[in-house]
Amino acid sequence: MADFSIRHTGTRGEDRTHMLAAVHVHDLDTLMSRAMPHRIASPPADERLPRAATEAEVASELASMAAANTARTSMIGQGYYDTETPAVIRRGILENPSWYTAYTPYQPEISQGRLEALVNFQTMVSELTAMEIAGASLLDEPTAAAEAIALASRATGRDRIAVDRDVFEQTRAVIETRCRGLDIELVPVNIDGPMDLTECSGLLVQYPGATGRVHTASTYRGLGDAIHEAGGLFIMVADLLACSILTPPGELGADIVAGSAQRFGLPMGGGGPHAGYIACREKYKRNLPGRIVGVSKDRAGNPAYRLALQTREQHIRREKATSNICTAQSLLAIMASMYAVYHGPEGLAAMADRVHGQARALACNLADLGAHVNYTRFFDTLTVSVTQKADEILAALLEENVTAYRVDGDTLRLSADECTTDLARRHVVQAFARVLDGPRTSVDITQYSLGEDVRRTSQYMEQATFHRYRSETGMMRYMHRLAEKDYALDRGMIPLGSCTMKLNAAVEVSAITHEGFARIHPFAPAGDLAGYRTLISDLETWLAELTGYDAVSLQPNAGSQGEFAGLLAIRGYHEARGQGERRICLIPASAHGTNAASAVMAGFRVVVVKTAADGSIDLQDLDRKIEKAGAHIGAIMLTYPSTHGTFEEQVTEVTDRVHRAGGQVYIDGANLNALVGYARPGAFGGDVSHLNLHKTFAIPHGGGGPGVGPVAAKEHLAPYLPGFPAGAVSGAPWGSASILPITWAYITLLGYEGLREATASAVLAANYVAARLEPVLPVLYRGPGGFVGHECILDVRPLKEQYGVSVDDVAKRLIDYGFHAPTMSFPVPGTLMVEPTESESLEELDRFCDAMEAIAEEAAQVGDQWSADDNPLRLAPHTAHSLLTGTWEHPYSQEMAAYPDALAAKKKGRDPEYVHRLIESKYWAPVGRIDAPWGDRNLQCTCPPPEAFEEQD
Ligand SMILES: *Cc1c(COP(=O)(O)O)cnc(C)c1O
């Protein structure tokens, strides 16, 4: 089977002909040439893209690339440790489409499974760090540390931060990049000596230090006291595994704690993805960046989870921006939480003790050989002095298949981890012994210890969930039970505008679990990364060709981070030309929230440009804003096709005007699914763009991450793209390297023609939905020729005006019809934005349109047949429990409540087999509509106590 295209695109043959007829065009190319303005059309060069390959070919090429990487016993540490992903979790979560194809849980009623897992994550973090509030994941440890600094800065209103020197190099680098953007002064300090903390927003220390060193508990408490006295916050970047046996940061005076959950079963993966975490004291909860899952209650009063303080997230925008985090690391946080559930607190502590034991034994062994172990108090990492012999020892280690971290020619660091065995330790000792030829001694092991003063005494993770699942059967069923509650792509379409929920093909995603991709340390010797280098260089070439840019960096681990990196590149460019005053960034009113937030983070002042009546950028307002900005105009950020779902005619006019005024053009590439193979942002006026590989290029959404947000730029901006470590925007040179095979596979499977077909099919699907629904629900904006792009905004506001039915009611009623709601109220409040993608079949598109039509009909009966608060829309979604218990006292039937799709299909005379299938595959929402404001007022973001589940009456 050569043509993967037929697997990827959901419609062909007669179905496609039917859809083309519905939108009055003959073929896909005609559709594209009529929907897309001619002056932006600029196809990439076929010969610079791979020829379409079969699934078998792709699988085997990826296997060879994985084999070209060398996985060794890694003792490099520095924030990345080998870990054993329990097989039951790998199969049950990482390889399970019910988990990896889910969307961010904005619709909580159909996301209870992943929300529970995320609450487990938050509870685990909050318990291990002894902090009151924890978020549902950040991108990685260095960016989490940078977010902690930004939080301290906001909380204190100060712009100096003291950072201890004993932090990982990549953490320091990312902090430096962030501080540059926000104009925060980074004050390097050494906590061993006197420190000037005057006017500092906080003091950041790493726990244990990068050197491995663990200070006394009273030292840490003293640091906390010192910074508190100076009016700042105490930030600790803490290792979660260490926290299971070390006094937790919360007991040492920390106000904010950040770090990574990588070593909780998340493979090193050449740098990622991993779940970063952040936790804080209660009083900073409203400033916490990223998402927080909270406990609320549903209509029946039962506890139910949902994203807390969501209005805050929707307002990651404009000058008020606090953080630009959107896509985070949901899937990884879920895996880490399951790891904690499976091992439990006693398992984690035992593991930490084992790791510490190996490090201690190794310290002893090496000291016996005459190496100098610099610090006697450590958890898992030794810093070893080996006068001028570091390189020789590294070479000897490599012969034993072991890698370690080189500090300088005299110093090495070695970290033990979950996978360190006695045998591995013997190999290390042999390597050292070959090089160190001084007299042997016998060192007393008791001199190496954590120190009793920092031994954790407090209990943690006492919640039932962390004690219930020790057997694999129990664990398998728990994960299945949670997955069963959720709606992911394995149930049906998720027509989320701007999010591109397309097929994540099995052959694409299966490559990531190859040992040769997974078990690779990002700082491994270059020779060990040959496979990754090939993969990355292919991707850089192809993405540059597809976007019309000259240089690509794959480092940013989400679209938001790509935006930040791209804007910093613009700023760097202006500064290098002596035009550092160019700090105004124009942003259209309809822009995604991350745009403005990223602009603020990169040190720009946001000026909003109005939207014209037809949804395009208001050119007159643009001229006014450009004129007003004068020589301060730095950039414009625009999205193409626009977030209104249309190919704006005058986009080149906009980019020309900004260029003439001396500004740079940032094109947000989140909507690239409407362009791939037909037009290239770099060819129609863009200087820099980010892409979302987790939208356009088939990386699954994971229930809210991981993502990859490469930044692509023209030659003149290339020198300012992220470097590593200098200029880093994430913790590893290639960010989330281990999921890049997915995109590599996607592009290789489709090839030039297949990619074009995918794009045009996506545009066709959106136009088909628009055409079918126009008679019942107006399509808000249309572009050239009356066509929409790859998505369209359905205006449901008339339902509100006429019948009092809100966009929420429609979204929740869609659950009864077996659908995930489209994007709600973005970019236009009260509307729904539908993006069907190329992967859906005609039958599924019709099922969706049928549901929307039926809902519109239902809405028309409110006020007439049904009262405003007793109707199937307001009371949606309906749970089985609510239909089967008590007496049914509503003015509509139970059948109407639960099987509205089957009823509507019957009425339309659809064939009985289809009706039967609808009934049979009914998706039941596990909870009724959730009361969000109640949850925000009573914020609880750890596992609810048993009393919460007492029967309500
Ligand atoms: C998704 C999206 C982003 C942000 O990307 P993340 O990967 O979630 O950070 C930015 N702009 C637009 C238009 C988007 O749809």
Side-chain angles (χ1 to χ4, degrees):
M1 176 54 60
D3 192 359
F4 177 74
S5 234
I6 67 169
R7 307 291 186 213
H8 180 76
T9 34
T11 53
R12 49 197 55 245
E14 281 175 22
D15 288 353
R16 182 177 289 170
T17 312
H18 171 81
M19 289 164 67
L20 288 164
V23 303
H24 309 294
V25 288
H26 272 298
D27 54 46
L28 289 179
D29 273 338
T30 314
L31 171 67
M32 289 307 285
S33 69
R34 292 184 44 198
M36 183 185 276
H38 289 284
R39 69 186 110 146
I40 76 142
S42 52
D46 186 355
E47 62 282 3
R48 297 204 54 200
L49 293 167
R51 148 198 90 77
T54 64
E55 294 194 40
E57 285 167 336
V58 163
S60 113
E61 278 199 61
L62 283 170
S64 332
M65 268 193 261
N69 290 327
T70 312
R72 303 182 195 269
T73 299
S74 168
M75 300 200 86
I76 301 173
Q78 301 303 297
Y80 303 95
Y81 309 89
D82 205 356
T83 172
E84 216 44 79
T85 312
V88 66
I89 296 175
R90 190 180 66 233
R91 291 195 78 82
I93 307 251
L94 184 60
E95 299 176 343
N96 181 350
S98 301
W99 287 97
Y100 67 70
T101 68
Y103 179 63
T104 307
Y106 288 132
Q107 296 289 336
E109 293 84 358
I110 55 177
S111 314
Q112 289 296 301
R114 51 195 188 276
L115 286 165
E116 176 168 331
L118 291 171
V119 161
N120 291 345
F121 178 80
Q122 293 176 178
T123 307
M124 161 193 109
V125 168
S126 140
E127 293 276 314
L128 284 170
T129 58
M131 299 303 284
E132 285 135 11
I133 305 282
S137 86
L138 288 179
L139 293 165
D140 63 5
E141 175 162 309
T143 55
E147 293 288 349
I149 286 175
L151 171 55
S153 200
R154 285 195 301 278
T156 57
R158 294 177 176 182
D159 54 9
R160 298 181 84 210
I161 178 78
V163 177
D164 180 40
R165 63 175 180 171
D166 197 11
V167 303
F168 293 137
E169 189 182 11
Q170 72 272 17
T171 301
R172 173 184 314 284
V174 169
I175 289 174
E176 275 169 9
T177 309
R178 283 290 181 90
C179 285
R180 203 171 332 121
L182 288 168
D183 292 311
I184 290 176
E185 183 194 351
L186 198 161
V187 184
V189 296
N190 178 355
I191 56 172
D192 288 326
M195 295 180 289
D196 177 12
L197 300 174
T198 325
E199 280 305 303
C200 281
S201 63
L203 166 65
L204 182 142
V205 303
Q206 191 181 306
Y207 182 61
T211 51
R213 192 173 174 192
V214 177
H215 295 270
T216 63
S218 62
T219 302
Y220 292 111
R221 293 202 178 96
L223 293 170
D225 292 344
I227 185 65
H228 289 148
E229 233 159 78
L233 308 187
F234 189 31
I235 304 172
M236 294 184 86
V237 177
D239 182 308
L240 283 182
L241 185 61
C243 287
S244 67
I245 57 168
L246 288 181
T247 308
E251 294 170 21
L252 296 172
D255 301 292
I256 310 173
V257 187
S260 166
Q262 184 268 321
R263 63 197 312 181
F264 281 27
L266 311 175
M268 293 182 285
H274 310 133
Y277 77 82
I278 190 162
C280 67
R281 300 226 178 265
E282 176 88 26
K283 63 176 156 185
Y284 305 115
K285 67 186 178 198
R286 281 174 205 276
N287 284 314
L288 203 68
R291 305 181 176 123
I292 310 176
V293 179
V295 184
S296 187
K297 50 180 193 176
D298 77 353
R299 216 171 59 75
N302 295 311
Y305 305 100
R306 95 283 178 243
L307 291 179
L309 312 173
Q310 253 204 82
T311 43
R312 190 192 62 138
E313 156 144 359
Q314 283 156 8
H315 300 102
I316 36 173
R317 47 176 55 185
R318 308 284 144 76
E319 293 77 13
K320 297 224 175 66
T322 48
S323 153
N324 67 346
I325 299 283
C326 180
T327 293
Q329 301 284 16
S330 194
L331 191 70
L332 295 310
I334 289 167
M335 284 177 67
S337 80
M338 292 300 178
Y339 180 93
V341 164
Y342 201 36
H343 286 293
E346 76 285 358
L348 294 180
M351 190 186 301
D353 276 328
R354 252 189 341 265
V355 170
H356 177 55
Q358 287 292 356
R360 267 184 103 190
L362 185 62
C364 234
N365 299 151
L366 300 184
D368 284 350
L369 296 172
H372 179 70
V373 178
N374 291 13
Y375 307 103
T376 57
R377 292 168 56 109
F378 50 76
F379 165 59
D380 63 352
T381 299
L382 314 176
T383 297
V384 186
S385 293
V386 287
T387 325
Q388 294 183 10
K389 296 214 162 127
D391 293 309
E392 218 180 311
I393 292 175
L394 279 175
L397 282 169
L398 216 52
E399 275 171 41
E400 301 289 342
N401 214 26
V402 176
T403 51
Y405 183 74
R406 180 187 190 277
V407 180
D408 54 37
D410 300 321
T411 322
L412 293 173
R413 268 182 216 151
L414 295 104
S415 298
D417 60 43
E418 183 189 349
C419 303
T420 306
T421 57
D422 289 344
L423 183 64
R425 184 159 49 81
R426 273 209 295 284
H427 286 303
V428 175
V429 175
Q430 276 162 20
F432 271 76
R434 277 211 299 282
V435 179
L436 300 179
D437 43 16
R440 306 296 196 244
T441 54
S442 185
V443 172
D444 176 10
I445 195 165
T446 56
Q447 67 170 294
Y448 301 112
S449 99
L450 268 177
E452 281 312 305
D453 59 300
V454 284
R455 268 263 163 200
R456 181 165 190 157
T457 53
S458 53
Q459 297 296 308
Y460 53 90
M461 286 165 54
E462 294 181 288
Q463 293 82 357
T465 310
F466 297 112
H467 296 268
R468 236 178 233 149
Y469 310 105
R470 292 291 174 273
S471 80
E472 181 167 329
T473 302
M475 191 65 200
M476 170 179 75
R477 289 183 188 154
Y478 179 54
M479 294 184 300
H480 180 74
R481 183 159 67 75
L482 295 192
E484 264 296 291
K485 298 190 201 186
D486 286 12
Y487 189 106
L489 280 178
D490 60 344
R491 284 191 200 271
M493 164 156 82
I494 303 184
L496 280 160
S498 217
C499 300
T500 315
M501 300 293 288
K502 64 167 68 177
L503 170 75
N504 316 115
V507 67
E508 292 158 5
V509 293
S510 53
I512 65 171
T513 43
H514 277 302
E515 291 250 311
F517 286 127
R519 246 185 173 124
I520 302 291
H521 195 290
F523 309 148
D528 290 0
L529 300 168
Y532 266 129
R533 269 208 311 282
T534 309
L535 177 88
I536 282 154
S537 116
D538 282 352
L539 273 180
E540 286 172 351
T541 309
W542 302 340
L543 294 177
E545 186 55 35
L546 288 169
T547 54
Y549 288 110
D550 303 306
V552 173
S553 164
L554 292 159
Q555 194 185 111
N557 41 21
S560 61
Q561 308 303 296
E563 292 172 19
F564 173 62
L567 289 162
L568 278 185
I570 291 178
R571 195 173 143 187
Y573 169 77
H574 288 316
E575 280 168 359
R577 288 160 40 104
Q579 304 192 347
E581 72 285 0
R582 293 195 173 275
R583 291 273 205 107
I584 286 180
C585 185
L586 304 178
I587 296 187
S590 64
H592 193 264
T594 52
N595 287 185
S598 301
V600 171
M601 277 173 52
F604 286 91
R605 192 155 71 74
V606 173
V607 172
V608 176
V609 183
K610 289 187 186 144
T611 303
D614 66 353
S616 62
I617 293 175
D618 182 334
L619 286 179
Q620 281 180 350
D621 193 51
L622 177 72
D623 285 340
R624 270 196 301 275
K625 301 283 159 71
I626 289 177
E627 202 189 339
K628 188 142 178 259
H632 293 272
I633 181 100
I636 187 166
M637 275 186 108
L638 46 90
T639 306
Y640 203 82
S642 79
T643 54
H644 289 146
T646 58
F647 290 107
E648 294 183 16
E649 285 274 16
Q650 25 75 313
V651 63
T652 47
E653 193 49 48
V654 174
T655 59
D656 283 351
R657 290 185 195 186
V658 173
H659 278 144
R660 277 202 299 273
Q664 293 281 294
V665 175
Y666 188 107
I667 297 182
D668 179 328
N671 286 347
L672 204 75
N673 210 43
L675 302 177
V676 175
Y678 284 91
R680 302 177 298 158
F684 60 80
D687 296 295
V688 54
S689 288
H690 78 267
L691 319 179
N692 301 66
L693 301 191
H694 47 300
K695 295 178 180 172
T696 316
F697 292 97
I699 291 179
H701 204 80
V708 177
V711 54
K714 289 281 183 59
E715 204 166 359
H716 65 281
L717 294 180
Y720 311 99
L721 289 181
F724 196 90
V729 295
S730 92
W734 302 308
S736 296
S738 71
I739 50 176
L740 295 175
I742 301 171
T743 294
W744 191 96
Y746 175 75
I747 295 174
T748 309
L749 286 163
L750 287 179
Y752 174 80
E753 284 301 334
L755 288 169
R756 278 170 63 89
E757 187 182 7
T759 302
S761 305
V763 173
L764 175 60
N767 277 286
Y768 176 75
V769 170
R772 255 209 69 181
L773 289 179
E774 180 74 65
V776 269
L777 294 167
V779 172
L780 196 55
Y781 299 114
R782 287 179 182 275
F787 292 100
V788 297
H790 66 312
E791 60 194 6
C792 63
I793 298 181
L794 297 176
D795 198 353
V796 294
R797 290 172 301 186
L799 302 183
K800 175 90 185 166
E801 285 148 26
Q802 294 172 37
Y803 317 111
V805 171
S806 70
V807 66
D808 242 34
D809 295 335
V810 174
K812 303 307 175 193
R813 184 61 170 155
L814 271 169
I815 299 172
D816 290 334
Y817 280 84
F819 277 103
H820 189 298
T823 299
M824 255 170 60
S825 293
F826 169 76
V828 183
T831 65
L832 292 172
M833 178 157 59
V834 180
E835 180 181 1
T837 83
E838 69 274 19
S839 300
E840 296 301 336
S841 66
L842 175 60
E843 182 178 289
E844 186 70 352
L845 297 173
D846 278 333
R847 190 171 74 88
F848 175 73
C849 295
D850 290 346
M852 289 303 290
E853 280 173 3
I855 288 173
E857 275 175 38
E858 286 177 2
Q861 299 177 52
V862 176
D864 176 12
Q865 252 170 292
W866 302 320
S867 75
D869 36 66
D870 193 0
N871 65 66
L873 294 134
R874 183 56 50 85
L875 300 187
H878 296 82
T879 61
H881 192 260
S882 73
L883 292 169
L884 296 171
T885 53
T887 43
W888 183 257
E889 287 170 338
H890 301 290
Y892 55 97
S893 67
Q894 281 118 308
E895 188 180 13
M896 180 82 192
Y899 297 103
D901 50 349
L903 275 178
K906 255 188 274 181
K907 213 165 90 190
K908 280 196 167 167
R910 298 292 301 267
D911 97 63
E913 193 266 345
Y914 177 74
V915 176
H916 178 68
R917 202 143 35 92
L918 293 178
I919 292 169
E920 209 183 43
S921 53
K922 161 76 184 167
Y923 168 74
W924 290 99
V927 296
R929 199 177 305 188
I930 294 171
D931 187 339
W934 188 89
D936 281 352
R937 282 194 306 276
N938 304 280
L939 187 64
Q940 196 208 329
C941 49
T942 51
C943 299
E947 303 82 65
F949 294 89
E950 268 168 358
E951 187 102 17
Q952 306 288 321
D953 30 47

